[in-house]
Amino acid sequence: MWQAYIGDMHPTKPVLLLLPLFFCTCGPAPQEDTPDNYATEWLLTEGKPLAYYSSDGNYKGFRLRLAADSARLHHPITGISEKYRAYPATAGSPPDSVYLTYALSADSTLDVRIHAGGEVHAHTYRPTPPLGAHPLTARVMDETYRFELGSQPYLLTFTTVPVGKEEEGRVARLHPLDTAFARRIQENRDNFGGLVRQDGTVGLYAAYRDPVYGTGGPVSLLVSTDATGELQLHRNLRATPEDPAPVRIVPQVYPGQLPPGYDPSELADLLNRGRISVRNLTAEPDSFRIQYAYPEDFERRGGITTEELDRLDFEFAADGSFHAFAGDRLITEGEWSISPDRNFIQLPGNETGRDRPILIQHYDGESMVFLLPLKVQTRMPRGEQLLSYYDAQVMLQFEKAGSR
């Protein structure tokens, strides 16, 4: 805030004080060239950051924020940020070796010059509404959400992962749903994920195909909350001429499959004592989807033969320990639990040892159904020295005895 001091402001000179104050209030005061007179946020339309390179030459998702004596050029999705000392273009020659100057043009665009290493880099920005992206909260991260990109439905979940020897971080993860089945995650699809950043938001990428034109590709997503604390997504922050503005998406909470008051001991009893039905939902694929491994590596990863599918057995202990068997052979072990949103059963991963969330298909107290990803050996060997196998989705149904 600018302050003006007039004369000595001595209390014995009231008449002298009134005259300058009277003239100062006549007509508009001259506008200073400061960030307070500008938009709160600016969208890059020409130019590029100094420390970031894009292979397609598109940098239009970057935004600029001006403060009293500094400027921050940042990308909401990637979290990439560059900070500079900032001066009005009329400031002369600042003493900094790297700095930014700005000036407002007659067409309301912002002309920026970044001075670095004896070179001057020209940028142009246009005013843009702030996204209003607020940090994610614990309440939001305990839920599962559903939304659509074009014709593809997704689930969005949050989980805790180790990020260091003694630290943990929260990760947002996308699960593409099979459109033919309301509660089935597409098999053999990588789930996109991103770590919650220091500002409390997450940047993600997802597959997108336009339902009208059929065009597709990866789309950028920013996961945050709005001013009321509700989850929101922004997509297409690249601001291309075809899609110049970010689109806000409001996901819907995905209801928990287990009721809020379910009894954990009754659930464990159903999983341990109920009848197990096993059905392989994945047909043995063509050659290009066949994978190969040494027999010892295949066994270490929890792989099974087709004949062992009918001999699968599981132990869900009340203390949270978990064991999976193919006949008498131990496939994997670890811990099991139900996610806070009651949509997923958490089981140990065969290869990483980390928990993997598995979407529960059905639960009514008498039965429970979920799909377990397994590595299944091909019926006929496809390799000579290596064992051939494929990734399969196996449906497990647990039913109380006498429920039929």
Side-chain angles (χ1 to χ4, degrees):
M1 179 178 293
W2 291 95
Q3 294 180 338
Y5 297 91
I6 302 174
D8 294 332
M9 301 298 287
H10 199 280
T12 61
K13 301 179 180 179
V15 176
L16 294 177
L17 286 174
L18 287 174
L19 287 175
L21 289 174
F22 175 79
F23 287 115
C24 286
T25 56
C26 287
Q31 288 286 322
E32 296 288 344
D33 194 19
T34 67
D36 291 339
N37 301 323
Y38 293 175
T40 58
E41 198 154 77
W42 301 85
L43 190 66
L44 180 66
T45 57
E46 294 182 21
K48 65 184 184 68
L50 300 191
Y52 176 75
Y53 172 77
S54 174
S55 59
D56 61 4
N58 192 328
Y59 300 93
K60 295 180 181 179
F62 280 84
R63 292 176 169 232
L64 183 74
R65 277 188 172 270
L66 287 173
D69 59 356
S70 65
R72 186 170 75 95
L73 179 61
H74 70 285
H75 194 291
I77 288 289
T78 63
I80 295 170
S81 178
E82 298 178 2
K83 194 170 184 179
Y84 301 93
R85 295 281 293 181
Y87 302 91
T90 57
S93 299
D96 308 87
S97 59
V98 178
Y99 63 95
L100 177 152
T101 60
Y102 55 87
L104 190 63
S105 299
D107 61 357
S108 297
T109 61
L110 189 70
D111 288 332
V112 168
R113 300 292 184 269
I114 298 178
H115 303 255
E119 297 183 353
V120 180
H121 305 267
H123 287 192
T124 303
Y125 297 82
R126 63 173 174 83
T128 187
L131 288 180
H134 298 268
L136 297 165
T137 63
R139 177 184 66 83
V140 164
M141 290 189 284
D142 280 344
E143 298 283 2
T144 293
Y145 293 85
R146 186 186 186 279
F147 66 96
E148 293 185 3
L149 289 176
S151 58
Q152 175 62 63
Y154 281 95
L155 291 185
L156 172 64
T157 63
F158 300 90
T159 187
T160 301
V161 298
V163 294
K165 292 184 178 180
E166 299 180 357
E167 296 183 4
E168 290 185 334
R170 297 299 294 270
V171 165
R173 187 167 287 138
L174 292 181
H175 310 269
L177 287 174
D178 191 327
T179 55
F181 301 92
R183 296 187 64 89
R184 181 180 297 183
I185 294 174
Q186 288 185 7
E187 57 182 300
N188 301 321
R189 287 289 298 273
D190 292 331
N191 297 334
F192 298 88
L195 189 67
V196 177
R197 300 187 295 235
Q198 290 185 348
D199 67 355
T201 66
V202 181
L204 297 174
Y205 294 92
Y208 173 77
R209 181 165 294 277
D210 189 286
V212 177
Y213 299 102
T215 57
V219 62
S220 304
L221 293 173
L222 178 67
V223 185
S224 66
T225 60
D226 61 18
T228 67
E230 296 302 320
L231 187 75
Q232 63 179 358
L233 305 178
H234 287 90
R235 73 164 180 85
N236 288 352
L237 299 181
R238 298 171 67 84
T240 62
E242 295 79 15
D243 195 359
V247 177
R248 182 172 178 265
I249 302 172
V250 181
Q252 302 300 312
V253 174
Y254 201 58
Q257 186 66 13
L258 273 65
Y262 78 94
D263 188 336
S265 61
E266 290 187 4
L267 175 61
D269 187 68
L270 168 64
L271 296 175
N272 279 316
R273 302 179 184 276
R275 295 195 309 268
I276 303 177
S277 301
V278 180
R279 179 186 173 193
N280 187 357
L281 302 180
T282 307
E284 189 168 307
D286 296 332
S287 298
F288 77 95
R289 292 178 61 186
I290 295 296
Q291 303 179 61
Y292 299 89
Y294 289 105
E296 57 272 20
D297 291 336
F298 179 72
E299 183 173 334
R300 177 178 57 83
R301 296 172 184 173
I304 64 173
T305 65
T306 301
E307 291 74 19
E308 288 177 320
L309 281 170
D310 294 331
R311 295 188 289 161
L312 288 175
D313 197 9
F314 305 91
E315 183 180 281
F316 295 84
D319 63 1
S321 60
F322 170 80
H323 297 82
F325 302 90
D328 295 330
R329 182 169 65 88
L330 178 66
I331 299 175
T332 188
E333 60 182 332
E335 297 181 348
W336 76 281
S337 63
I338 300 298
S339 62
D341 67 326
R342 309 179 311 282
N343 269 311
F344 293 83
I345 181 169
Q346 306 273 3
L347 297 179
N350 291 326
E351 298 179 54
T352 64
R354 299 177 182 175
D355 288 350
R356 52 179 171 175
I358 296 174
L359 185 64
I360 299 170
Q361 306 294 305
H362 171 78
Y363 177 81
D364 61 6
E366 299 291 319
S367 65
M368 182 171 180
V369 179
F370 59 85
L371 306 184
L372 183 67
L374 287 174
K375 301 183 183 302
V376 179
Q377 185 176 344
T378 59
R379 293 182 179 274
M380 298 294 295
R382 303 288 187 92
E384 296 182 0
Q385 297 182 350
L386 299 178
L387 184 148
S388 55
Y389 70 95
Y390 62 98
D391 291 324
Q393 290 267 30
V394 176
M395 185 175 71
L396 302 179
Q397 181 169 351
F398 299 81
E399 292 183 291
K400 283 186 177 180
S403 59
R404 286 183 178 179

